[in-house]
Amino acid sequence: MTAMDLDRAWDLHPQVSVRPEPFGALLYHFGTRKLSFLKDRRLLAVVQALAEAPTARAAFLAAGLTENELPRYGRALAVLAQSSMVVGRTS
């Protein structure tokens, strides 16, 4: 797995829908028809913060994560990037 660039801006793919659930959330990509489960409500908070944050690192910190937690959550976000649920922001 490629390391996630936390100092880059990321967004949900425009074709991804997020449905919050008690366990976290369901992400559905209408283009690829893939379904992803977020089993951590803090990861959901990160995903929701991506659109407003200048970088993924800023989204993590806005969601209340500490610097020590970034590697673990960065790996989770990298999995979402590999499945095209999140994409690098171009502007």
Side-chain angles (χ1 to χ4, degrees):
M1 175 183 344
T2 306
M4 186 80 177
D5 184 355
L6 299 182
D7 295 314
R8 179 177 179 193
W10 294 84
D11 280 317
L12 272 177
H13 189 284
Q15 291 185 305
V16 171
S17 175
V18 178
R19 188 172 90 190
E21 295 287 344
F23 59 82
L26 295 173
L27 274 62
Y28 181 75
H29 193 301
F30 287 93
T32 64
R33 299 173 60 176
K34 288 184 182 178
L35 181 66
S36 291
F37 295 88
L38 300 184
K39 299 178 198 167
D40 186 313
R41 296 193 61 76
R42 295 192 323 157
L43 183 57
L44 171 60
V46 169
V47 167
Q48 291 173 324
L50 287 174
E52 300 296 322
T55 65
R57 184 179 307 278
F60 284 124
L61 298 177
L65 297 170
T66 65
E67 286 286 335
N68 290 339
E69 294 173 301
L70 294 187
R72 177 176 158 231
Y73 282 87
R75 287 189 297 274
L77 196 62
V79 170
L80 293 176
Q82 284 183 325
S83 64
S84 299
M85 294 293 182
V86 298
V87 292
R89 193 179 309 151
T90 56
S91 59

